Amino acid sequence: MAEKKEFQRLPLKVVPTNYNVTLTPNLTAFTFTGSETIIVEVKEKTDVVVINSADIEIQSVKFNDMTGEITMDSEAETATFTFPDMLPIGQGSLSLVFTGSLNDKMKGFYRSKYTTPAGEERHAAVTQFESTDARRALPCWDEPACKATFDVTLVVPKDKVALSNMPVVSESETESGLRSVTFARTPIMSTYLLAFVVGEFDYVEGKDSDGVLIRVYTPLGKTEQGTFALEVAKKTLPFYKDYFGIAYPLPKMDLIAIADFAAGAMENWGLVTYRETCLLVDPENSSSSSKQYVALVVGHELAHQWFGNLVTMEWWTHLWLNEGFASFIEYLCVDHCFPEFDIWTQFVNQDLAQALKLDALNNSHPIEVPVGHPAEVDEIFDAISYCKGASVIRMLHSWIGDEAFRKGLNQYLNKFAYKNAFTEDLWDSLAEASGKPVREVLSTWTSQMGFPVLQVSETLEGGQRALTITQSKFCADGKSPEGDFQWMVPIDITCSTDPLKPFYTTVLSSKSSTVSLDGVKAGDWIKLNPGTIGVYRVQYSSAMLDSLIPAVSNMSLPARDRLGLQNDLFALARAGLSSSVDVLKVAEAYKSESNYTVWSDLASNLSTISLLTQYTDCSPLMDSYNIKLFSDVAARLGWEKKEGESPLDSMLRALVVSKLGHSGHNDTMQEAMSRFEQHISGEKSLDADLRSAVYGTVIKKGDKSHFDKLMKVYETSELSEEKVRVLRVLGYVKDEEQITNVLQFAISDKVRTQDAVSCIAGVTSSALGRQLTWKFVQANWPKLSAMYDGGFLQASLVKISIQNFADRSVIPEIKDFFEKNPAPAANRVIQQSCENIELNAAMLERDREAIKAYLTEMNS
């Protein structure tokens, strides 16, 4: 077997400045023809030009009038052009003619299947180029630092919509009866931000307060589903203009829903592509959580128009500069547009908690990861780049203040506009704006894996209260890590006198420090990390933790602190540094909790304990515990929405119904069954916020007739959100035959490839389902591997299939299988999932008897 060549970036003796490209997609043969003239700058004498090309046949190449010889390297994904004479230094033109295929892999230039209102099946031609798939549409310098301008012409059928990054400047009819559509020249940008769409779409449009034309393209006949995203975009672009101090630089902004789309969305400059569930909102049938999610995704992608598009990372090592910042900025935007979502509390649950969970693993990675071959990039499109990146930025923002943060961003974006930057360039701008040692502090968070746990204890000397704070690396298994880890940790400390205002602020730059509690009254509780902004865990002494519990019960402790307190405690229990019984005891202090996000995070942590009890004889006892815990809030909320109710209360109602339904609460199950039947019969439509919870309860507790009725909902609904809603709960069925049927259905042609993972994930909610899913994945690996072809959906599939086992004996089987059946995009996820199985097994062994004893006493 030939040894794999070491990856090398493209030589830059010749670089592009402008591409003039014409593409003609054939939507029946699923092919395309292309030609391009690339204006290049020859910087050094050479007779060779190397560019990226994959899955493309290049028929001819010329430099000026000189014909070149073509050599392809499929492994390196390059085309090498050798010319008979040296190329003259300076400007020249490289002209190519080529052909390619509109693939079905949701990458490069690909085909997306859709159904017209008349029921006809058709295809659109669309693009997804990040990270390295522009080379599948046109030969190019497909590296983020190789920026150029683009003049695009699409030759398309007359009845099709043709879109690219810029507005149309001319149209004409070709001799063959097609329409030639030419777009304005783009700004200087990276190839991965180029985009084309050809298909049938309707749209809604409007202008923001600065006159930027915004259109939301929807499937035919569904323009009303684009209205919400349009309103979000109209508010968001001016907000970012004000926040960054730089106007949106393009004349138009298109947002378009694509039927087959692997990611959630892609920030192509001026033409942002979305999965339908990430853009479309049905006024009658979309839930509050879906609206919120659409607002966040729109906010994220529009933030990229500045962060990523205007200023781009130099190489994929700095991916987090794009994703971490956009993931932070999206919350600023949604908080501005929709203050009723209390979105910063949800950040703690959705981003910070997810980052800490993943980053505590031994198989995590630093925010900045050296990336060689671009194939390695998929592995770092994860909660570290996105969620930890965003969490570190939030901590930085709090530490230096909003004014300095905005000033530094403006300086950075102006200095590197239409160029590329490194992480250090951003730190330097923020340091200059704030006068603080940003690079020194933040490099400890981006260059090393993991985060600290701060052990806190209180002492009393001569009547003076003091805290001793000690940092060490937090490991999910509770063991002391190998190596010397130390962070510079921004710390705020608050107390019961004014829970929202820190009385002490510092940066912990050593292993340990003692803080004098001057002015803090005797009996006042003390809490670190108010607002749960710091990217660290806190382990209090027993006495300090006990003093905080009353403030949880009476909710005098703010919501983000109530959330963070139990989240830290659960992580400590999972690591064996506390007991699962402590978690169950403290959770009882939350019975009067009113905040959706606090309940959501608590419910998630309790679900892990419930999952482990599936492997014991006390699962029914855990169900009884959950019923007792959630019954009071269920009674307060009821089943019907109240006039003027917050969307968060609607989301909390759905969470509580789901939790009680899954735990077997009789009244909840009966009411869910009744409302389901009324909904199916058309007697009374089920509120969109409750559908997932009711569908899941009905599938879990019902029979085959209920399953068949829900399948009919799937088959007849035209709303992607409703279809996915059904897919996510189908796997809650109980018996082996039904589970097997659901798994087979997931990979049938009745389910879009992008949605199959959601369907399979539902199956893994039960111990039997996990066992059958893993067997299914092994038996069907050739098909599944081909479906996802090395992308991040492959990693998602692997993760949901294996991570929730609680028996170590399955680990050798998993490792052996993937050694024989390599899944390169999932290598890191396989290691992380095996580590998660170890954690489950250890927690179960450690706490099973104590959990059983506690639950038995609670239910006696």
Side-chain angles (χ1 to χ4, degrees):
M1 186 174 176
E3 193 173 315
K4 197 167 185 177
K5 287 182 283 189
E6 185 179 342
F7 169 75
Q8 292 185 323
R9 288 171 66 170
L10 295 173
L12 299 179
K13 293 179 180 179
V14 180
V15 294
T17 58
N18 172 265
Y19 296 78
N20 191 318
V21 58
T22 299
L23 293 169
T24 307
N26 185 320
L27 293 172
T28 52
F30 305 134
T31 59
F32 64 89
T33 59
S35 62
E36 62 181 338
T37 298
I38 310 172
I39 304 302
V40 299
E41 184 75 23
V42 181
K43 293 178 171 289
E44 298 178 35
K45 280 191 174 182
T46 182
D47 59 353
V48 172
V49 178
V50 182
I51 67 175
N52 293 116
S53 184
D55 303 333
I56 287 176
E57 291 186 20
I58 303 173
Q59 277 79 44
S60 65
V61 60
K62 287 186 175 182
F63 185 90
N64 295 342
D65 293 324
M66 187 167 31
T67 300
E69 181 184 303
I70 304 163
T71 306
M72 305 300 298
D73 185 332
S74 58
E75 183 185 322
E77 297 185 342
T78 57
T80 300
F81 310 133
T82 306
F83 295 93
D85 298 312
M86 288 289 179
L87 309 184
I89 300 291
Q91 194 176 86
S93 67
L94 192 68
S95 301
L96 300 98
V97 176
F98 53 91
T99 57
S101 297
L102 295 173
N103 69 69
D104 61 354
K105 303 298 182 185
M106 295 185 286
K107 64 182 182 180
F109 201 12
Y110 72 92
R111 62 186 187 264
S112 172
K113 185 170 67 176
Y114 62 96
T115 304
T116 68
E120 296 177 60
E121 189 177 283
R122 294 186 187 160
H123 290 84
V126 301
T127 56
Q128 170 58 36
F129 289 164
E130 190 178 26
S131 50
T132 57
D133 291 315
R135 64 191 67 178
R136 299 178 197 282
L138 65 156
C140 58
W141 279 259
D142 199 13
E143 296 184 355
C146 294
K147 289 190 168 186
T149 58
F150 296 82
D151 294 292
V152 174
T153 298
L154 298 175
V155 182
V156 302
K158 290 181 182 178
D159 62 343
K160 297 293 188 284
V161 171
L163 300 170
S164 190
N165 305 76
M166 297 295 285
V168 174
V169 290
S170 68
E171 294 190 40
S172 61
E173 188 174 337
T174 68
E175 292 180 3
S176 57
L178 297 173
R179 191 167 106 258
S180 179
V181 184
T182 299
F183 301 88
R185 178 170 290 184
T186 71
I188 297 169
M189 67 185 201
S190 304
T191 49
Y192 78 89
L193 297 169
L194 188 62
F196 332 116
V197 176
V198 180
E200 296 173 287
F201 300 91
D202 285 335
Y203 66 83
V204 288
E205 70 175 15
K207 289 187 176 180
D208 72 5
S209 56
D210 296 308
V212 177
L213 178 64
I214 303 170
R215 286 180 175 174
V216 177
Y217 285 85
T218 73
L220 294 174
K222 296 183 179 178
T223 51
E224 76 283 354
Q225 294 180 21
T227 303
F228 179 77
L230 177 64
E231 293 307 311
V232 174
K234 283 166 63 177
K235 293 178 183 177
T236 298
L237 287 180
F239 172 75
Y240 286 155
K241 173 198 169 188
D242 178 61
Y243 197 84
F244 295 134
I246 299 172
Y248 172 67
L250 274 63
K252 62 96 172 174
M253 167 53 68
D254 293 334
L255 301 84
I256 185 165
I258 304 299
D260 292 302
F261 199 75
M266 175 60 208
E267 67 266 21
N268 317 298
W269 217 352
L271 176 57
V272 181
T273 45
Y274 293 80
R275 190 184 286 206
E276 289 186 357
T277 51
C278 296
L279 185 69
L280 304 180
V281 170
D282 185 285
E284 297 297 321
N285 296 298
S286 286
S287 66
S288 298
S289 59
S290 291
K291 291 174 187 172
Q292 178 181 282
Y293 182 58
V294 167
L296 283 168
V297 177
V298 170
H300 182 98
E301 303 309 327
L302 297 191
H304 273 311
Q305 307 303 301
W306 286 263
F307 245 97
N309 299 10
L310 181 64
V311 178
T312 312
M313 77 253 144
E314 194 277 338
W315 183 246
W316 300 108
T317 292
H318 307 277
L319 172 72
W320 90 280
L321 268 184
N322 280 15
E323 300 304 346
F325 257 84
S327 296
F328 169 75
I329 297 293
E330 73 186 63
Y331 282 86
L332 281 174
C333 159
V334 172
D335 188 48
H336 167 76
C337 295
F338 303 101
E340 65 272 21
F341 283 145
D342 184 26
I343 203 69
W344 283 114
T345 303
Q346 295 194 60
F347 179 96
V348 179
N349 168 239
Q350 295 176 0
D351 282 70
L352 177 59
Q354 299 310 309
L356 296 180
K357 183 178 179 180
L358 180 57
D359 205 29
L361 298 179
N362 295 322
N363 287 293
S364 181
H365 62 83
I367 284 177
E368 282 199 338
V369 182
V371 172
H373 197 289
E376 299 169 18
V377 176
D378 277 340
E379 284 198 51
I380 59 170
F381 274 87
D382 63 6
I384 302 300
S385 295
Y386 284 76
C387 301
K388 186 183 179 185
S391 299
V392 167
I393 296 303
R394 177 171 172 251
M395 181 170 66
L396 165 67
H397 173 266
S398 175
W399 176 50
I400 70 173
D402 188 65
E403 184 180 347
F405 186 77
R406 291 173 68 161
K407 183 180 176 183
L409 289 191
N410 174 265
Q411 180 181 315
Y412 168 80
L413 290 169
N414 274 308
K415 183 176 182 179
F416 295 98
Y418 306 104
K419 299 174 187 172
N420 299 82
F422 297 84
T423 296
E424 292 75 16
D425 296 321
L426 178 60
W427 294 160
D428 291 345
S429 292
L430 291 168
E432 189 175 327
S434 66
K436 293 191 174 183
V438 173
R439 186 191 281 220
E440 291 83 349
V441 172
L442 269 293
S443 62
T444 68
W445 296 91
T446 58
S447 63
Q448 62 182 341
M449 185 179 85
F451 59 89
V453 55
L454 304 185
Q455 282 105 2
V456 188
S457 59
E458 184 179 348
T459 57
L460 191 64
E461 293 180 12
Q464 176 66 50
R465 297 173 72 183
L467 291 184
T468 299
I469 304 171
T470 304
Q471 67 160 299
S472 59
K473 184 178 186 293
F474 180 76
C475 295
D477 59 10
K479 296 176 182 175
S480 297
E482 293 180 9
D484 184 32
F485 291 88
Q486 190 168 315
W487 288 262
M488 295 185 73
V489 190
I491 294 175
D492 289 337
I493 306 175
T494 189
C495 69
S496 46
T497 303
D498 189 347
L500 295 173
K501 185 178 180 182
F503 69 83
Y504 186 87
T505 297
T506 188
V507 174
L508 178 65
S509 55
S510 58
K511 288 283 188 182
S512 186
S513 178
T514 299
V515 176
S516 177
L517 301 179
D518 294 327
V520 180
K521 299 195 298 287
D524 275 2
W525 53 252
I526 305 294
K527 186 179 184 301
L528 269 67
N529 203 11
T532 315
I533 290 169
V535 185
Y536 53 83
R537 300 276 184 205
V538 182
Q539 183 176 14
Y540 295 101
S541 66
S542 296
M544 289 187 73
L545 180 61
D546 288 345
S547 72
L548 288 164
I549 300 305
V552 171
S553 297
N554 64 27
M555 293 190 288
S556 60
L557 193 66
R560 289 168 211 169
D561 295 294
R562 300 196 300 272
L563 192 163
L565 192 70
Q566 61 79 30
N567 192 280
D568 281 351
L569 183 61
F570 175 77
L572 291 165
R574 189 149 172 74
L577 302 174
S578 181
S579 167
S580 299
V581 170
D582 292 336
V583 175
L584 296 173
K585 286 178 179 176
V586 169
E588 292 178 54
Y590 289 79
K591 286 188 76 171
S592 300
E593 180 61 59
S594 60
N595 186 283
Y596 159 73
T597 313
V598 177
W599 271 118
S600 179
D601 195 76
L602 177 60
S604 175
N605 293 331
L606 291 174
S607 290
T608 300
I609 297 177
S610 293
L611 182 149
L612 296 181
T613 63
Q614 291 175 354
Y615 296 97
T616 71
D617 59 356
C618 63
S619 190
L621 294 174
M622 188 67 200
D623 286 339
S624 297
Y625 172 90
N626 286 325
I627 289 169
K628 284 184 180 179
L629 185 64
F630 286 87
S631 288
D632 285 357
V633 66
R636 289 199 303 273
L637 290 167
W639 279 82
E640 299 294 340
K641 278 187 177 176
K642 298 168 180 62
E643 194 171 337
E645 178 177 278
S646 158
L648 295 176
D649 280 344
S650 301
M651 292 157 69
L652 178 55
R653 180 180 294 107
L655 172 69
V656 170
V657 168
S658 178
K659 199 71 181 174
L660 289 175
H662 283 266
S663 298
H665 184 243
N666 192 52
D667 289 350
T668 301
M669 290 191 298
Q670 287 185 359
E671 186 66 23
M673 293 286 190
S674 172
R675 288 176 181 253
F676 178 72
E677 294 296 348
Q678 289 175 347
H679 179 65
I680 294 298
S681 67
E683 180 184 340
K684 184 182 179 183
S685 180
L686 189 57
D687 183 78
D689 284 319
L690 282 174
R691 287 186 197 174
S692 287
V694 168
Y695 292 171
T697 299
V698 166
I699 284 290
K700 193 174 180 72
K701 305 300 178 183
D703 55 29
K704 189 175 183 302
S705 68
H706 296 98
F707 182 88
D708 292 341
K709 287 172 184 175
L710 199 54
M711 278 299 300
K712 191 171 182 183
V713 172
Y714 176 83
E715 290 163 359
T716 58
S717 177
E718 294 183 1
L719 181 66
S720 292
E721 179 186 333
E722 183 78 345
K723 285 183 175 291
V724 172
R725 196 181 270 149
V726 173
L727 286 175
R728 284 176 174 161
V729 303
L730 286 179
Y732 294 171
V733 290
K734 297 182 288 289
D735 69 79
E736 187 167 337
E737 183 181 354
Q738 282 183 305
I739 291 172
T740 302
N741 289 341
V742 170
L743 290 168
Q744 290 295 344
F745 173 73
I747 60 170
S748 71
D749 58 8
K750 292 182 179 179
V751 177
R752 291 189 182 277
T753 302
Q754 71 207 27
D755 297 328
V757 174
S758 294
C759 187
I760 295 169
V763 178
T764 65
S765 63
S766 68
L768 176 61
R770 284 189 281 282
Q771 182 184 347
L772 294 174
T773 297
W774 174 228
K775 287 181 179 177
F776 172 82
V777 166
Q778 293 176 85
N780 292 275
W781 183 251
K783 180 174 183 176
L784 290 164
S785 183
M787 280 169 65
Y788 299 119
D789 196 27
F792 61 85
L793 281 174
Q794 183 186 80
S796 298
L797 171 70
V798 170
K799 182 179 180 180
I800 59 107
S801 300
I802 62 177
Q803 69 170 347
N804 286 330
F805 284 112
D807 181 357
R808 290 190 182 90
S809 66
V810 77
I811 294 175
E813 182 184 322
I814 291 168
K815 290 181 175 178
D816 181 62
F817 177 79
F818 286 112
E819 279 177 18
K820 294 172 181 172
N821 301 273
N827 281 343
R828 195 185 298 272
V829 158
I830 293 164
Q831 294 168 346
Q832 291 168 345
S833 297
C834 289
E835 189 174 348
N836 206 58
I837 295 168
E838 288 273 8
L839 294 172
N840 286 341
M843 191 174 184
L844 186 59
E845 289 167 4
R846 217 172 34 239
D847 290 348
R848 66 188 301 161
E849 293 306 320
I851 290 171
K852 183 176 181 179
Y854 177 75
L855 292 176
T856 301
E857 183 182 346
M858 281 288 296
N859 287 283
S860 60

